[in-house]
Amino acid sequence: MKIALSWIKEFVDLNGISTDEIVSQLTMSGLEVEDVVDQSNLYKNFIVGFVKETQKHPNADKLTICKVFDGKDDLQVICGASNVSAGQKIVFAPIGTEIPNGNFVIKKAKIRGVESNGMICAEDELLLSDDHSGIMVLDEKLEAGKSITEALNLNDVILEIAITPNRPDALSHIGVARDLAALFDRDLIIPEIKLSESSEDVNKLASVIIEDEVNCPRYIAKVVKDVKIKESPKWLKDRLEKIGLRPRNNIVDITNLVLHECGQPLHAFDLDKLSDHKIVVKSTKSETSFTSLDSKERKLPLNTLMICDASREVAIAGVMGGENSEITETTKNILIESAYFHPSSIRKTSKTLGLSTDASYRFERGTDPNITKYAAERCAQLVADLADGKIANGIIDVYPKVINPKEIELRFSRTTKILGYDVASEKIKNILSRLGLAIKVLDEDKLLVSVPTFRPDIEREIDLIEEIARINGYDNIPTVSKINITLEKKTDETEVDEKIRQAATSLGFFEMINNPLQSEKEVKISGSPVKLANPLSADMEYLRSTLISGALITVSKNLRQGVKDIKLFEIGDVFNKTNEGEIKSFDDFTEDQNLLFIISGKEQDKGWNTEVIDSDFYLLKGLVDSFLAKVSLDNVLNDSYYAAANEIYAYYLTKNSNGVELGKGGKIKSDVLKQFDINQDVYCFEFNFTHLKNVKAKNNGYVDPLKYPKIIRDFAFVLDKSVKYLDVKEFIKKKSSNLLKEVSVFDIFENETLGENKKSIAFTLEFYDKDRTLTEDEVEKDFNNLISLITKEFNAQLRGK
Amino acid sequence: MLDKNITEIKESFYTDIKSVSSIKDIEEIRLKYFSRNGLVSQLFEDLKDVVKEEKPILGKKLNLLRNEVSSYFEEVKERISSTQSNKENEIDLTLPGKNYIVGSKHILTQTLDEIKSIFKGLGFSVANGPELESDYYNFESLNFPADHPARDMQDTFFVSKDFLLRTHTTPVQIRLMEKQAPPVRAIMPGRVYRNEAVSARSYCMFHQVDGIYVDTDVTFAELKGTLVSFAKQFYGSDLKYRFRPSFFPFTEPSAEMDITCYLCHGKGCKICKNSGWLEILGCGMVDPNVFKFVNYDSEKYTGYAFGMGIERIALLKYGITDIRIFFDNDLRFLKQF
Ligand SMILES: [Zn+2]
């Protein structure tokens, strides 16, 4: 919101206080000043120029060569605007002037071969408006060479203030002035209105009925007759332009002025267009079509609060007037509306229509029901003064239930308890009074504070404490240097995540963070993803149900960037619907934390002394098993193997605990890869981390390093190709004596000499005992026994030997 | 004459051997002094021409010299050859070492780790909560009434009328207080979502850390003390700060904490929008209405709460200009941290 300091100074005496101080105090009391425009500094070099002659530029159709008189000399200036012509007074930027819009400095230049010594300005270049349709043409009576800060009265300071939603009272000049009065301990001055009314009774000219008292607790109408619609006087236009408003005609400008002065939105109807000269405030009973004064036809839903006349709707209450009752050049008599509408009713209308106006913005935050009369009278008097109208006698004020100030008790002791320091009671009383709150001392510790209706945000004692804190300054609250720490156990629910991340990074994985919002095509690769009701765009319409989709998006993006070797992990939440219906409770969906590993390309590039390691299923399996070992979950989970494809994997394994699947991974199917535009093999493993966390890690304690030697034996068998390594291994373990402790594979191959559908698997066996040295004989016996058993069981043939 | 030569050769030997650094140098010295025609052998030749009376003395002197320099020579030779292997299998130490890939946590995780460790040191626990939240936890219990303009402060993704993607990690405060009686002191990191157009400055999801402390005597002064301690540990102990009033529905009074812009040191620049200050977190005293929702007695207990965005902190700290780079997961970016 824009505030002009000159305007503020009508309501509070700020003599002797610098702009910097005002800005800093406002920011430090909660009215954050986001921008300061000091016009006398901004426009110090601009002067009034006189265009003496013009001629066409010889080399450019759209350019004009102007002879501009700057008060002393005639200067040649090139102008690109089509509305420039001889005899105009214009805003002239001499060489060396900094142009506010764009921060550039005017230099002597040759434009298409012709010299130019300055610039003739448009409104947008001066940040006066967005208008760039042509140059600003000034009053011809202005004297050439005069500074525009003086000639155009551009010597104000304009503040852009961010008003938080709890402070509707500060959405006007009087509102901001009230805070300044409290901050600088000065008086707030609200000028009295001297109404001059005619003898004609307002009740004979118009009537008001409120049918919806809940949504419209108060409606005031004031009538002014015989007005002349015309341009506003210069002071009024200046004032509105300074705060970024475009002047329209005197009546509209006056309502805007009063709004920005005291915060009360007003609306002026053409009284003669209101059938029966009647106002009825009621809500729509059915869907209604209505043309607002911006000439747009709008569909109004059921229960929209409307202003009607005897026969039809004439305005959307609190939001915008209607075309059918609008003020035009021929309007003679007007009815000024000054009402209080219920905030949530106006918010609902504004939201459903997608229409936010200066009026709706204030009504939905909460206006002051008791400023309505002041605003109506102020407006009427200005209309009388500036539009030559005659104010009808009296006021129509429908206010069935008067809204009174709230009374709140404030304890000094409570103030200290919240803020952590004592604010002197006299200081507290002064702050509250300056803010317009009435106080009564109840006892030593207690005040009874009466909060006027312009502060709907102050409802409780704590709200008063905030007022004290912010006006007295947060800087005055001490900063303690000691705190109490209790000795009970601290918990960290993210601790396990951190261990997981450590394990993953130590295995060479980089952590990625993917956007859980993805397109339908992406998330639909598995699960029952949750759809957003109001997505930002179609490519972010769903919440992911798996981490795989996001990971594949990332792989694809990296490949496009030429990064082909991928080793990534992610910990993140995934969401799945548990039934078809709308989500109404936490039972209708699951949110699980998942953990995903993904590899593709080379794990290790060929170096001068390193061999290439390509990503494949066994690399993935090894990494996943190493990871589980790092987090003490090795030999806790069981593997299951699936050679046939599912919806995502060409082949895969699962990790299970007590029959529950905790993770799954393998080679991504090529049609899935194609969908993500990936043209190299990708291997991926995903754990349900929420469930994995619940698996009890093994805790074998400490094992003494072996003190006696191991005896190691190898053998290799030719087997049918269909025989699985694991089956042989399990068989060996089952059939051997307890001296055999480890079985591992050290070679596998196939070739013609072995025969068709045959392969060779070579095993290493480790025999030992932790309490004694084994003899060759006992190992030999076990070993030979195994050979004959394997040969029989698997129809195998011992190789070599 | 020979006497003088002995002294000179001794001196020259020690000068030469000082500059020895390779096996090649050693060989040169051997040739110069100890070979058949070397300087030391030459001295013994010269001894033959010395008069008879001087022979025993000079002979003894010469033997001493030979023993001294040759034993020193052997010592140096040993040292040099132990550090440099001989020519046949000389190793090229300049070749690059084997390449080991060590992964890394995402930069946002690392930033969060740092924040967590500071608050854990200040006695805070760490708690989690769901991202897909109910309207009740995200808004209602945090004193955002339905149809209130305060809700406009946080553009929300809804999945149904009553369920949404949380817009802040503050709902975890409610979940925590529902579970336990005061004192409660915890931070709550996590992912949040806002229905805002994606640009260099804002993304539809980001990460936050919220914090809360509720006990019998918690004051605004302690809120300031704790957050100043955090900021000094995180940003440096010489930092300047300010607390300025603001508005959050779940705290009253509310504040925003600014620190001096580290780029311009308060003079004003593009990053701080010429104010000289950078906003780093929002905070305030827990609103009594929030206590009502979790059945805490607001007369007995007071508390403070705060929240900060992790992306914003990382952007500032690493001078990153586009927030989207955090979620692009370009390995060339990830590997830098
Ligand atoms: Zn700066």
Side-chain angles (χ1 to χ4, degrees), chain B residues 261-273 276-278:
Chain B
C261 175
Y262 65 94
L263 265 187
C264 62
H265 303 285
K267 282 190 213 89
C269 69
K270 214 175 146 191
I271 294 282
C272 60
K273 289 190 208 148
W277 294 97
L278 290 173

Side-chain angles (χ1 to χ4, degrees), chain A residues 414 460 477 484 492 533, chain B residues 120 128 158 185 224 287 298:
Chain A
R414 185 73 186 171
R460 306 155 301 166
I477 301 173
N484 291 320
D492 182 352
Chain B
K120 283 171 91 170
N128 269 334
F158 286 91
R185 175 153 36 195
K224 279 181 76 176
D287 195 291
S298 63

Side-chain angles (χ1 to χ4, degrees), chain A residues 73-349:
Chain A
D73 303 306
D74 288 342
L75 300 167
Q76 179 170 292
V77 177
I78 311 291
C79 182
S82 56
N83 67 332
V84 69
S85 70
Q88 287 170 335
K89 291 276 168 57
I90 46 84
V91 176
F92 181 62
I95 286 162
T97 305
E98 190 178 336
I99 304 298
N101 169 24
N103 288 327
F104 66 93
V105 175
I106 297 292
K107 290 190 190 108
K108 188 178 209 158
K110 268 199 174 159
I111 300 172
R112 294 286 190 97
V114 181
E115 193 175 281
S116 183
N117 300 287
M119 185 169 103
I120 301 174
C121 302
E123 285 189 13
D124 70 328
E125 285 150 352
L126 298 177
L127 295 176
L128 289 173
S129 78
D130 298 333
D131 191 359
H132 193 70
S133 59
I135 55 160
M136 264 175 96
V137 180
L138 306 178
D139 186 339
E140 58 190 33
K141 290 196 250 0
L142 293 174
E143 190 188 319
K146 215 172 179 186
S147 164
I148 64 159
T149 58
E150 211 182 312
L152 302 181
N153 217 1
L154 290 171
N155 48 17
D156 213 335
V157 176
I158 313 298
L159 307 182
E160 177 75 46
I161 306 184
I163 307 287
T164 50
N166 60 326
R167 292 294 306 277
D169 67 292
L171 289 169
S172 69
H173 281 71
I174 289 180
V176 174
R178 188 180 286 116
D179 263 26
L180 286 168
L183 288 164
F184 293 105
D185 199 14
R186 306 224 166 160
D187 290 332
L188 181 73
I189 311 140
I190 297 180
E192 247 174 75
I193 303 159
K194 289 183 200 84
L195 265 187
S196 44
E197 295 180 341
S198 70
S199 55
E200 200 168 9
D201 183 359
V202 69
N203 292 301
K204 298 221 165 84
L205 299 172
S207 64
V208 172
I209 293 168
I210 302 178
E211 284 186 8
D212 187 341
E213 287 177 14
V214 174
N215 290 321
C216 179
R218 187 177 194 181
Y219 195 102
I220 281 178
K222 193 104 180 112
V223 170
V224 186
K225 290 187 73 178
D226 300 326
V227 299
K228 287 189 184 64
I229 310 296
K230 54 187 177 187
E231 208 180 326
S232 296
K234 189 172 175 313
W235 71 265
L236 176 52
K237 288 197 289 181
D238 277 356
R239 195 157 264 198
L240 296 179
E241 281 175 339
K242 271 180 193 172
I243 59 166
L245 297 175
R246 179 160 290 276
R248 302 274 282 282
N249 60 48
N250 50 358
I251 305 298
V252 173
D253 292 353
I254 289 166
T255 58
N256 274 330
L257 180 88
V258 176
L259 164 66
H260 288 275
E261 189 169 271
C262 70
Q264 173 64 43
L266 301 171
H267 184 65
F269 292 100
D270 185 329
L271 181 61
D272 301 316
K273 290 180 188 162
L274 298 177
S275 107
D276 287 357
H277 295 176
K278 196 171 177 182
I279 289 285
V280 182
V281 189
K282 59 182 182 189
S283 295
T284 52
K285 301 279 180 291
S286 59
E287 200 175 279
T288 311
S289 174
F290 180 73
T291 307
S292 47
L293 51 74
D294 54 3
S295 306
K296 287 203 177 104
E297 192 174 318
R298 297 174 186 278
K299 286 258 175 306
L300 305 173
L302 190 69
N303 285 325
T304 305
L305 189 68
M306 297 298 292
I307 312 299
C308 307
D309 62 13
S311 59
R312 55 185 186 159
E313 291 86 12
V314 291
I316 309 167
V319 181
M320 195 178 264
E323 209 173 42
N324 57 14
S325 54
E326 191 186 4
I327 304 278
T328 60
E329 279 170 24
T330 57
T331 298
K332 279 216 165 62
N333 306 313
I334 63 166
L335 181 144
I336 301 163
E337 165 198 292
S338 179
Y340 173 68
F341 299 114
H342 197 279
S344 64
S345 158
I346 303 304
R347 181 173 158 81
K348 218 175 76 208
T349 308

